[in-house]
Amino acid sequence: MLFNPQICNLKDEKFRPFISVEEIEAILRNTRNPSPERVQAVVDRSLGLARLSMEETAVLLNARGEEAERIILEGARTLKRRVYGDRIVLFAPLYIGNRCINNCAYCGFRAGNRDALRRTLTDAEIESEVRGLEEAGQKRLILVYGEHPDYSAEYIARTARVVYGVRQDNGRINRVNINAAPFDIEGFRTVKEAGIGTYQIFQETYHPGTYKRFHLGGRKADYEWRLTAMDRAMEAGIDDVGLGVLFGLGDWRFEVLALVRHVNHLEACFGVGPHTISFPRIQNASNLDRTALSPVADDDFIRLVAVLRLAVPYTGLILTAREPRNLRDRLIGFGVSQIDAGTQLEIGGYTEHARRLAQLRAAEKAGESGEQNLHREQFELMDTRSLAETIGQLVEAGQIPSFCTACYRKGRTGEHFMEFSTKGFIKSFCTPNALLTFAEWLEDYAPEGLRVRGRELIGRRTAELDPGRREEVGRLLERIRNGERDLLL
Ligand code: SAM
Ligand code: SF4
């Protein structure tokens, strides 16, 4: 149980709105123009593995100048290596249905977008999609849904069970997370019983006025219902929740501070912070009106990722394929711990991928554009590499691709907190499990050249383990080469 005296007076906030615009704006005002020494002192506290207060986070957000910039980015890099090691967890989103009653101005699926092509996968289609994902070697999925009476908690629980049930050859999905509109407590219990991993939902913007401008109708227009969603999820026993902000709606500094406030709230009320934080930036979408947006520039985006890393050292950070590949490759060093790869946003996209690739090549030959059809998808994807291509790049950069789901399957929930709080946990569990799951992927799914390079990386990294673990992992790697699967520590 986490105890932080700074937040112990927040316990009464359970189920109640907890964001005060005045509080956040005052903290941002009072921490303007910090000296490089102050910035260094805050970074040092973070490197001592303390979670930062809102004031300290605001110092990093407000810091200006090259020296301060260098201290923050270097600090985030060091912290990422110290806490998470050189491993990146991989997953893929699976869009189940895009019917939606809401009118979120930025989203291609909004009810008012007449051009959106609506589709909900049948059970047979879900199975076909999952087979496509398993054939690429995916082990962790996040299921994504619009908000619609068709997508009740019971329906969502059923789709999660359908996904878990698809097994072919060595393929199986070991962790199903969900990104779906918030439920009441009973609804959250229903999806928990289906064995979901993380429940993820983004507040989009924590600023009530900005929220109102972009959420023009439907249940999601209710700011407080969304803000208190994680309280209901945790009350229902879901330990792993994923927070997020859609950057590009309001002031990014305000939003980062509000995210930290949300972390405080969950820690105070439930004794555990979020499992992950996501920070999508708005991308082009079907009939998107860009005039009302406040785009976040690349440099600011890098800063906000680094600041989040330092502010909440034990929370996983997710970077999606909304971002272009070069930026993704760069940001991994500043503290990202999970990325999606081989992503298809079109509903039914994994099944139709092969067919569409063939069409694309034919179109290119005929001189036609091979662009995404935005009317079928929620937004435009910037990193369209396959899973194997992304893994190749990670290996090149010396990062270990990981499909690990060991903590979840062995009942070690709240794993990011454990990684942070249990001495040597990453070295003893996370790195070995990353190596084992990557070895399985290499045996079953890798193109030959990548298999060779991947095995070299595994050899180097296994040699760096403590002697006891090194021998144990060596024995397990041998068993994997001999055809055994699902070997975890
Ligand atoms: N419908 C549910 C909801 O709104 O929470 C669940 C999933 S929604 C399909 C997933 C997320 O995509 C949203 O929470 C939003 O942050 C993000 N999103 C929507 N439109 C986007 C856009 N144009 N560019 C990037 N991300 C977008
Ligand atoms: Fe619907 Fe979610 Fe898109 Fe809003 S963001 S329109 S709720 S799918």
Side-chain angles (χ1 to χ4, degrees):
M1 177 81 109
L2 188 75
F3 178 74
N4 182 343
Q6 198 188 343
I7 55 172
C8 62
N9 60 342
L10 303 181
K11 285 195 178 75
D12 298 345
E13 295 179 346
K14 206 175 189 182
F15 304 130
R16 301 227 306 266
F18 50 86
I19 291 289
S20 156
V21 173
E22 293 72 30
E23 178 194 36
I24 293 175
E25 288 182 347
I27 294 174
L28 281 171
R29 252 194 328 274
N30 296 338
T31 48
R32 273 188 199 146
N33 299 320
S35 66
E37 291 72 31
R38 175 86 175 105
V39 172
Q40 184 69 63
V42 171
V43 169
D44 287 346
R45 235 176 71 71
S46 174
L47 289 176
L49 303 188
R51 191 179 58 57
L52 299 182
S53 68
M54 288 171 75
E55 282 76 10
E56 289 167 322
T57 307
V59 164
L60 302 185
L61 292 169
N62 273 326
R64 298 270 192 279
E66 274 177 29
E67 178 62 359
E69 185 77 10
R70 190 193 57 73
I71 294 169
I72 292 169
L73 296 187
E74 206 39 56
R77 255 198 222 104
T78 308
L79 187 69
K80 144 102 189 191
R81 275 199 302 269
R82 206 174 277 178
V83 175
Y84 288 90
D86 290 332
R87 86 204 140 91
I88 293 286
V89 172
L90 295 163
F91 71 95
L94 170 55
Y95 280 70
I96 301 289
N98 67 351
R99 303 189 72 181
C100 197
I101 52 160
N102 293 322
N103 260 313
C104 311
Y106 45 79
C107 178
F109 293 167
R110 65 192 179 279
N113 184 14
R114 295 260 160 79
D115 288 332
L117 299 162
R118 308 280 168 188
R119 184 170 170 194
T120 303
L121 297 177
T122 62
D123 287 1
E125 286 169 336
I126 294 174
E127 286 169 7
S128 160
E129 288 285 277
V130 176
R131 278 195 294 275
L133 285 154
E134 288 181 354
E135 276 162 19
Q138 301 279 8
K139 303 287 180 201
R140 303 169 65 112
L141 299 184
I142 181 151
L143 309 187
V144 188
Y145 313 76
E147 179 159 7
H148 194 271
D150 285 359
Y151 309 146
S152 62
E154 289 73 21
Y155 170 81
I156 287 172
R158 204 189 75 224
T159 55
R161 289 195 176 95
V162 170
V163 171
Y164 278 127
V166 181
R167 305 245 169 127
Q168 53 169 359
D169 304 321
N170 289 334
R172 60 186 264 182
I173 301 302
N174 289 323
R175 181 169 176 130
V176 174
N177 300 332
I178 62 168
N179 186 338
F183 310 104
D184 57 16
I185 294 173
E186 207 38 53
F188 278 118
R189 286 206 182 99
T190 303
V191 292
K192 181 182 159 59
E193 275 162 25
I196 65 154
T198 305
Y199 171 67
Q200 183 188 74
I201 197 81
F202 308 150
Q203 184 61 28
E204 320 295 12
T205 166
Y206 284 91
H207 191 288
T210 310
Y211 191 92
K212 203 166 173 200
R213 274 199 292 127
F214 285 98
H215 298 96
L216 305 173
R219 184 91 200 250
K220 193 166 161 182
D222 184 343
Y223 171 89
E224 288 186 9
W225 175 250
R226 197 159 178 98
L227 190 67
T228 52
M230 296 314 190
D231 293 27
R232 297 192 296 280
M234 285 197 162
E235 188 71 10
I238 297 177
D239 298 331
D240 286 343
V241 299
L243 308 181
V245 158
L246 181 58
F247 283 95
L249 301 181
D251 171 29
W252 64 270
R253 291 184 178 85
F254 178 97
E255 304 294 357
V256 171
L257 220 47
L259 275 168
V260 174
R261 183 65 179 80
H262 202 165
V263 174
N264 286 357
H265 169 81
L266 294 177
E267 285 181 353
C269 297
F270 299 94
V272 60
H275 186 67
T276 55
I277 292 182
S278 303
F279 30 86
R281 272 195 301 185
I282 291 208
Q283 300 299 331
N284 197 19
S286 165
N287 299 328
L288 175 69
D289 172 9
R290 301 192 76 90
T291 51
L293 302 179
S294 313
V296 178
D298 283 357
D299 283 351
D300 289 340
F301 190 59
I302 292 169
R303 165 75 71 94
L304 82 81
V305 175
V307 172
L308 276 173
R309 174 67 301 139
L310 291 162
V312 287
Y314 56 88
T315 302
L317 295 185
I318 300 181
L319 178 67
T320 69
R322 288 172 179 87
E323 298 299 334
R325 54 190 292 178
N326 294 343
L327 192 59
R328 287 232 291 178
D329 294 344
R330 217 176 133 199
L331 276 169
I332 280 171
F334 292 123
V336 168
S337 54
Q338 289 191 31
I339 59 170
D340 57 334
T343 295
Q344 297 289 323
L345 293 184
E346 184 171 335
I347 297 179
Y350 295 103
T351 310
E352 288 157 26
H353 181 53
R355 185 181 57 74
R356 282 195 303 132
L357 264 183
Q359 275 176 355
L360 212 68
R361 291 208 181 96
E364 274 166 9
K365 259 193 189 155
E368 294 166 14
S369 149
E371 285 167 6
Q372 284 177 266
N373 178 351
L374 283 186
H375 298 321
R376 290 180 192 278
E377 303 178 10
Q378 196 194 6
F379 51 80
E380 190 172 1
L381 202 65
M382 300 307 281
D383 185 350
T384 53
R385 284 175 290 183
S386 68
L387 177 59
E389 281 174 289
T390 307
I391 287 181
Q393 176 59 39
L394 290 175
V395 170
E396 203 69 22
Q399 299 277 338
I400 310 165
S402 175
F403 293 93
C404 181
T405 50
C407 285
Y408 165 70
R409 292 169 68 200
K410 291 184 181 251
R412 300 191 295 243
T413 52
E415 73 215 53
H416 281 285
F417 179 55
M418 201 148 34
E419 288 170 9
F420 168 76
S421 61
T422 311
K423 205 167 178 305
F425 190 90
I426 302 246
K427 239 178 154 189
S428 308
F429 289 98
C430 305
T431 305
N433 281 329
L435 292 167
L436 295 171
T437 54
F438 181 40
E440 292 189 9
W441 186 86
L442 286 174
E443 293 303 315
D444 291 338
Y445 308 103
E448 190 47 37
L450 180 53
R451 187 172 300 141
V452 174
R453 286 189 291 130
R455 281 180 183 158
E456 281 166 9
L457 177 71
I458 290 177
R460 281 200 307 279
R461 288 307 161 92
T462 308
E464 289 165 13
L465 296 173
D466 292 338
R469 264 308 192 229
R470 193 188 314 148
E471 273 177 32
E472 198 176 359
V473 169
R475 278 195 299 275
L476 292 172
L477 287 170
E478 185 62 35
R479 284 169 59 188
I480 289 170
R481 271 194 294 278
N482 290 333
E484 278 187 69
R485 290 293 174 268
D486 221 19
L487 302 180
L488 293 169
L489 290 170

